[in-house]
Amino acid sequence: LKEVSGHIYFEFSIPRMGKRVDNILISKNLIFVIEFKIGDNYYAKNAQYQTIDYCLDLLNFHEGSHNKVIIPILVSTKAPSAENDIQSATTLDKCILCNKENFGKTLKKILAIPVTTQNLNLLDWENSIYKPTPTIIEAAHALYKGHNVQEISRSDSGAINLSQTATAINNIIETAKEKKQKSICFLTGVPGAGKTLAGLNIANERLKADESEHSVFLSGNGPLVEVLREALTRDAVETSKENAVKLKKSDAERKAKAFIQNIHHFRDDNLKTDQAPIEKVVIFDEAQRAWQKEQVSKFMKTKKGIDGFEMSEPEYLISVMNRHDDWCTIVCLIGGGQEINTGEAGVSEWIDSLKKKYTNWNIYYSDKILSEKTTYLTNKELANWLEQHGKKESSLHLSVSTRSFRSEKVALFIEHILENEPDKAKEIFNSFKENYPIALTRDLKKAKNWLKKKAKGTERIGLVASSGGRRLR
C-alpha cells in the first residue's frame, strides 16, 4: 500500500455477524473490504460469500456506509490469478479475487478508475453508528443478558418508541403494585413494530426489577416458544462457560421455561387448581388470537374431557389472574386486523369480559384501538364503554416498523391501500420506492429469475405460500 493514500483498519468488528473483517481500506471514496485466506490455493465459494456478506452488512446497517461504493476483495494467497469484473464487484454481485502476487497491482487498477461518488468524510465514517435490525432471537439473547432495548433496536425512532412504551407499562405495573390494584393494558402496533420485542423487554425488565413478581411472556406460537427457549438455554450455558461458571443445561432450561411459556400450557396448568398463579405480570403475545367460547368449549370437551366449559380464553385468562388477592398486571400485545383464523376472538372478547365481570380492573389502551380506521375494535358499543371506563395512553401504540429496515413507511403504505386511499398510498410509495422496490408480476418464472438476480452473498430467496392454498399444490 506504499503508494496508496488512504486509511486502513485492522480487525474491523461487524457486530451483527459477530465477526471481524481482516481489513477495511478507504481510499478515493471507495471502501474496500479485504478478507485474507492465508495458504489457500483456490478461491472458496463460501469465502467469497463471506466477504460479500460483510459488504452487505456495512451497506445496510452501518450509517456511514449507506450509498457508498463498497468493494469486496478476497485474497487467497497461493491461488492462481483470476479474471476480475470490477463493475460486478461494485454492485456486490462478485468478489475481486487476488493472490499475494497481484494484490497490489489489482488494487491500483481499481483506484485508477475515476470515481464520481460523493466525498467520504473519514471522521464521520469512523464514528457513525452501526444499527442492525435484530432478529427476534438475537433480541431475546441481548435482553436476557441484560442489555436494554435501545442497544439492540436498529431504528432511532423505533428505539425511542419502544423505550417510551416500556416506561409507560413499567409505570402502570408499579402503580398497580403500590396501590394493590389489578390492571390490564392493550399494546397495539403496526406489523413489524416490535410488539413481541416490547413484550420480551417488559417481561425481562420486571424480572430485573423484582424476581418475586415472576413475570412471564406467553405466546400461542409453539415454534416461537421452542426456538426462543432453546436459544436462551444454549446462550446461557455458553456465557457461563466463557465466565468460568458452572451451569447445567437443565438448570438453564428451567429458567428459560419460566420466562417464556406456551399460553395453552399456562391455561391447562391453571385448570388443575383454584390457587392464584405464581406470576404477577403476564404478557400475552398476539392476544387478539385468543379463542372464542365455542372454540375453547369444543377443545376442552374433545381434548381434556371437560364438559360444559363456558368461558372464552380471554375471560378465563383474566379469571386466573383475578385469583390474586392483592395486585397483578396483564399486558396484551395486539396486532391489528390479524384475528384471521376460525374461532379467534379479537380484542372485543377481552373488552367484553372486562365489561361483564371485571369492572374493578384498571384498563389502559392506546387511542388507536378506538380509531375509526383500524380493525382493532369494530364493536361500537364496546368502544364507547372502553372510552368511558379505560385510560387512554398514547405510548401504548408502536407506530414505527423496525422490521423493514429500508423503509419504516411500508406499514403505512399498506394501510392506505387497504383503506382505499390511492393518492396517499402513491405519495408514500414514491418516497421509498428507490430503497424499497416493490415488484408485481403474474409470472412465477419471471419472479424467480428476478429474485435470483437480486440475491447477493448468502442471502436466501424462497416462496411463502399458505397451507390452505390448495390450488398451489
Side-chain angles (χ1 to χ4, degrees):
L1 300 176
K2 262 195 300 225
E3 297 147 42
V4 176
S5 73
H7 284 69
I8 189 160
Y9 302 83
F10 286 80
E11 297 288 327
F12 187 90
S13 178
I14 294 204
R16 165 74 175 203
M17 304 180 83
K19 301 226 173 79
R20 294 172 183 275
V21 184
D22 289 336
N23 292 110
I24 286 184
L25 169 72
I26 295 182
S27 180
K28 272 188 73 180
N29 295 343
L30 296 176
I31 301 168
F32 294 95
V33 170
I34 307 163
E35 187 61 23
F36 285 91
K37 296 296 174 194
I38 307 297
D40 277 16
N41 54 12
Y42 68 104
Y43 303 104
K45 224 17 169 193
N46 63 343
Q48 293 181 45
Y49 286 153
Q50 179 191 356
T51 315
I52 291 172
D53 282 353
Y54 287 148
C55 297
L56 286 168
D57 228 60
L58 280 176
L59 191 68
N60 289 329
F61 303 120
H62 182 253
E63 213 169 33
S65 303
H66 289 345
N67 308 317
K68 302 291 185 288
V69 179
I70 304 177
I71 297 175
I73 298 186
L74 173 64
V75 185
S76 292
T77 54
K78 294 183 176 173
S81 296
E83 278 293 311
N84 284 308
D85 179 348
I86 296 171
Q87 186 50 45
S88 294
T90 60
T91 54
L92 302 184
D93 290 310
K94 289 186 178 158
C95 248
I96 296 287
L97 306 173
C98 306
N99 54 35
K100 65 176 182 180
E101 307 301 336
N102 65 13
F103 173 48
K105 201 164 70 183
T106 308
L107 201 58
K108 283 168 193 155
K109 187 179 168 185
I110 298 168
L111 287 168
I113 299 166
V115 179
T116 52
T117 54
Q118 64 197 83
N119 277 353
L120 198 153
N121 182 318
L122 255 167
L123 204 62
D124 288 352
W125 187 86
E126 263 181 42
N127 294 306
S128 83
I129 342 166
Y130 182 88
K131 27 185 214 182
T133 307
T135 65
I136 199 67
I137 294 171
E138 289 166 334
H141 273 173
L143 290 170
Y144 206 56
K145 273 182 170 165
H147 292 281
N148 65 31
V149 80
Q150 290 95 319
E151 290 172 313
I152 61 169
S153 180
R154 174 207 67 81
S155 161
D156 293 345
S157 39
I160 293 163
N161 214 195
L162 282 163
S163 307
Q164 286 170 345
T165 300
T167 304
I169 292 175
N170 278 323
N171 289 342
I172 290 166
I173 294 168
E174 289 299 338
T175 306
K177 199 172 175 179
E178 204 179 296
K179 298 186 174 173
K180 307 243 179 296
Q181 296 170 335
K182 288 166 185 168
S183 298
I184 184 165
C185 13
F186 295 96
L187 170 61
T188 54
V190 300
K195 293 181 290 291
T196 303
L197 175 57
L200 286 167
N201 181 41
I202 292 148
N204 200 56
E205 282 197 357
R206 296 320 301 173
L207 277 179
K208 283 191 282 183
D210 184 354
E211 279 206 13
S212 67
E213 284 179 14
H214 294 285
S215 57
V216 65
F217 178 85
L218 299 177
S219 173
N221 182 339
L224 176 75
V225 171
E226 277 181 49
V227 166
L228 283 178
R229 274 183 181 171
E230 180 64 22
L232 294 181
T233 303
R234 286 185 194 180
D235 195 50
V237 171
E238 204 54 49
T239 307
S240 64
K241 258 189 213 161
E242 284 165 18
N243 299 331
V245 178
K246 260 196 168 175
L247 177 67
K248 281 196 206 148
K249 190 178 178 189
S250 55
D251 292 339
E253 211 162 21
R254 202 171 302 115
K255 203 178 163 199
K257 274 184 177 172
F259 178 55
I260 296 172
Q261 292 176 33
N262 189 307
I263 194 165
H264 304 305
H265 296 169
F266 178 83
R267 178 194 64 201
D268 298 348
D269 282 349
N270 284 292
L271 280 169
K272 298 170 193 163
T273 172
D274 290 335
Q275 299 288 312
I278 191 169
E279 294 86 2
K280 290 278 201 177
V281 177
V282 292
I283 292 107
F284 293 122
D285 195 22
E286 299 283 10
Q288 80 283 356
R289 291 193 180 280
W291 290 353
Q292 293 164 341
K293 184 165 75 178
E294 297 72 24
Q295 185 82 355
V296 186
S297 186
K298 192 170 130 193
F299 174 83
M300 291 298 179
K301 191 175 178 178
T302 54
K303 297 279 199 263
K304 302 283 172 192
I306 300 170
D307 228 343
F309 191 88
E310 288 299 306
M311 278 190 266
S312 67
E313 209 165 33
E315 188 186 329
Y316 174 68
L317 293 167
I318 299 170
S319 77
V320 167
M321 293 306 286
N322 199 53
R323 294 173 189 172
H324 283 290
D325 291 330
D326 48 1
W327 73 278
C328 65
T329 300
I330 293 176
V331 180
C332 294
L333 310 177
I334 310 281
Q338 292 175 347
E339 55 282 354
I340 47 172
N341 291 331
T342 316
E344 290 179 352
V347 183
S348 51
E349 190 59 52
W350 288 91
I351 309 296
D352 196 42
S353 304
L354 291 160
K355 182 186 170 198
K356 284 180 181 163
K357 293 192 178 172
Y358 302 102
T359 48
N360 61 323
W361 279 58
N362 289 328
I363 309 166
Y364 299 86
Y365 63 93
S366 89
D367 40 4
K368 288 284 174 193
I369 278 192
L370 301 176
S371 161
E372 293 282 315
K373 284 192 171 179
T374 57
T375 45
Y376 294 115
L377 188 56
T378 44
N379 183 316
K380 205 80 182 125
E381 195 188 321
L382 287 176
N384 290 339
W385 183 86
L386 179 62
E387 202 162 10
Q388 285 161 22
H389 295 85
K391 294 169 188 169
K392 202 186 285 183
E393 178 66 71
S394 58
S395 302
L396 293 179
H397 180 71
L398 295 168
S399 57
V400 178
S401 174
T402 56
R403 193 186 291 155
S404 308
F405 67 83
R406 285 201 185 93
S407 176
E408 293 161 350
K409 297 175 186 167
V410 174
L412 193 57
F413 166 65
I414 300 296
E415 199 178 296
H416 288 314
I417 288 177
L418 295 177
E419 297 301 335
N420 194 17
E421 297 169 333
D423 293 343
K424 287 182 182 172
K426 195 179 280 183
E427 191 185 325
I428 288 182
F429 177 67
N430 285 332
S431 75
F432 67 62
K433 66 182 182 188
E434 295 307 316
N435 286 328
Y436 196 102
I438 294 176
L440 190 64
T441 180
R442 299 256 176 227
D443 185 334
L444 186 60
K445 203 171 171 189
K446 206 179 261 185
K448 283 182 175 177
N449 288 337
W450 186 85
L451 284 168
K452 278 175 188 160
K453 275 192 204 124
K454 292 283 175 190
K456 301 174 194 296
T458 56
E459 285 181 337
R460 291 174 61 184
I461 59 169
L463 196 63
V464 179
S466 162
S467 57
R470 300 218 175 119
R471 65 191 177 84
L472 297 173
R473 289 179 189 177

